[in-house]
Amino acid sequence: MSLLYTLLIILGAVIAFSLFNFFQQKKVLKTLNQDEFRAGYRKAQLIDVREQKEYDGGHILGARNIPMSQLKMRMKEIRKDKPVYLYCQSGLRSGRAAQQLYRKGYRQLYHLQGGFKQWTGKIRSK
């Protein structure tokens, strides 16, 4: 029985952490649908947080690639006084990137609902 209780405690902790993360992201980041995203990203810093290979395979026209794996080292490339529009493949990494940026003082954070895989606008491939 103690194994069952241990597993239940672990499961409860995972669920609690996931809920905390979900509500934390809602607080620090605004999720935009494609029309809202398209309407604002040209006046903002458009950052693709996917890895270089994913970016090279196709990205939103005008996006700068700062992979999630390099974000801490390259954060100085992103201005705090301008809106930051983030996207990744599905929306998970851009949410985590926004949390990192928020902890460093960034406040105008937005991301694309559904990520790049849902994008129907103009793209560029290498």
Side-chain angles (χ1 to χ4, degrees), residues 93-109:
R93 284 178 281 181
S94 57
R96 288 198 313 266
Q99 286 178 314
Q100 274 189 351
L101 291 166
Y102 187 84
R103 284 192 294 270
K104 295 295 182 182
Y106 294 82
R107 293 298 179 260
Q108 299 178 70
L109 300 168

Side-chain angles (χ1 to χ4, degrees), residues 10-116:
I10 291 170
L11 180 61
V14 167
I15 291 170
F17 178 75
S18 297
L19 285 172
F20 173 78
N21 233 5
F22 174 78
F23 288 111
Q24 179 69 12
Q25 277 187 15
K26 290 279 185 209
K27 187 175 96 174
V28 305
L29 173 70
K30 182 163 175 44
T31 301
L32 303 175
N33 65 36
Q34 278 199 54
D35 292 334
E36 295 167 326
F37 197 84
R38 200 176 280 123
Y41 82 81
R42 285 187 184 90
K43 297 177 223 112
Q45 302 167 91
L46 179 60
I47 310 293
D48 183 329
V49 298
R50 299 176 303 157
E51 294 302 315
Q52 183 74 47
K53 191 173 184 178
E54 293 172 285
Y55 177 83
D56 290 346
H59 56 272
I60 297 174
L61 199 60
R64 199 166 16 135
N65 184 223
I66 301 179
M68 182 71 191
S69 60
Q70 299 174 15
L71 187 61
K72 281 183 184 173
M73 297 178 301
R74 296 181 60 191
M75 212 172 274
K76 291 182 186 110
E77 296 175 33
I78 305 170
R79 293 174 50 173
K80 289 183 180 178
D81 63 334
K82 287 185 74 177
V84 181
Y85 277 52
L86 301 161
Y87 73 93
C88 62
Q89 194 65 22
S90 66
L92 292 174
R93 284 178 281 181
S94 57
R96 288 198 313 266
Q99 286 178 314
Q100 274 189 351
L101 291 166
Y102 187 84
R103 284 192 294 270
K104 295 295 182 182
Y106 294 82
R107 293 298 179 260
Q108 299 178 70
L109 300 168
Y110 306 87
H111 85 140
L112 177 60
Q113 182 179 34
F116 184 72

